[in-house]
Amino acid sequence: MFNSFRKCTQRLMSTATQPYPFSSVAMVSAPPPTPALEGLKAGKGLMPYLRQRLLSPEKLELLARFGRRHPERILPGSVLQVTSKHAPTAFTGVLLGIRRRGADTSVLLRNVINRTGVEVQFAVCSPNVKDVKVLMRAGGRGSEGRAGKRMRRAKLFYLRDSPDKMTAISAGMR
Amino acid sequence: MLRLWSFGTRPVFPRCRAFHSTVVSNATAEVESSSASTSTWTPTSVRTGLIARKRGMTVMWDNHGVRFPVTVLQLENCQVTANIKTVRDDQSEYHAVQVAASDRPLKNTTKQMLGHFSKAGVPPKRIVKEFPVTPDAHVPIGTTLSAVHFVPGQFVDVIAKSLGKGFQGTMKRWNFKGLRASHGVSVSHRAAGSIGAHQDPGRVWPGKKMAGRLGGERITTQNLTVVRVDSDLELIYVRGCVPGIDDAQVMIRDAKKKMTQLAHHNSAKGQFEKVLPKGLVKLPFPAGTKELAQALPPVIVAPSARVSDPFVPRE
């Protein structure tokens, strides 16, 4: 009975003045005030434009830092700390690789916890990911984090088989 | 002997053979009772579909934070060009709404098609398709259809020509197992193997599965959820994948299994809460038009169909 009351209030709050009569649970919003270019209605440049429409400015900024051309881009081999809403709430690890797919961009972090290698892949634009902090940057021009060694590869999967190199990176951290 | 049954006249109501007679009789009863311009959706009506272009895929996160893939479909001046009614020999009727999309240059359109489009009062289009409907779901000719025709939260079927794969072998085309990788197999690891018996029947059966052209055929992907509708750019975001290449023409209609069928069966059983998917009140009828889109908010998003948060463990 109390649950149904809660659901009732949630539904009422979702469509405050009932502007959309075809669904009682749909959420309505206004699109961001960007100039609608002529070609968009014909599909020209639609998908890159949709990335800006579907993501918040903070997420777009974070995406750009994992891009290829940002002046302070994050390179593989850096040590990152990712804070997320759900478990693991704070995970630190070496960036093994960046999977660039626009809004679906994800990063793979590896750490050795209690003598067990743990890898976590975080979707950068996910609402679960709150913050990404660079603890050590692997080369590149940046102000955040300590300076570390530049890696000569885009994907550092060889680190899975060399625990000594992993310990070397963690020693460089301390 | 006098045949008494031949004297009385059977009740003549238009029969649409594609739909059960009760569906059509209910739908026509609705038409007669209400005027043509203000028709409302009933659980037994079947409305028209749309033609859109598949623009690409991206990813979205729902209100719980769960990631799901979406396909972006965009309407390119989708307009109604004809309302079709055909009476068959056995007096049953076929009703359809003919829809055309994607404007085409005048110089590239044949004279025959130019005449057809000028009769409908629409600019020439690249693709013309029709959607079978019930008699109450006809749309005035020349109406520009909009993305708000579909309600976020509902299910749709998307029909398109699949990607062409060219001439393919039996393993890819028919999921044959092939032969072993070693142990004496010579030069035929991906071959089909035997194609028949011996002297009886002494031939290969017609329709034997063999290598050939794969893909490039009409495929229907059923029961995809409409997640979001942007009416300013006429975008429909549909959860999951859709056949065809980017910028391909696709047909979108209400899902036959999860919308049309369920609505009809549940209303016949009297379970009126189950007629539409959860949260849906009604559907734009006979179609969602450009005028209706101006009266509605520009961006409409459906919440997740999940009730509980998947990231919170259950007790």
Side-chain angles (χ1 to χ4, degrees), chain A residues 81-85 88-91 122 128-133:
Chain A
Q81 182 179 43
V82 175
T83 330
S84 55
K85 265 197 261 183
T89 42
F91 187 81
F122 290 99
N128 290 328
V129 166
K130 283 197 290 197
D131 179 48
V132 173
K133 199 164 98 160

Side-chain angles (χ1 to χ4, degrees), chain B residues 176-199:
Chain B
F176 280 16
K177 305 261 288 271
L179 280 76
R180 289 170 190 278
S182 73
H183 289 293
V185 169
S186 39
V187 202
S188 30
H189 304 281
R190 296 183 64 90
S194 163
I195 59 171
H198 198 269
Q199 205 168 2

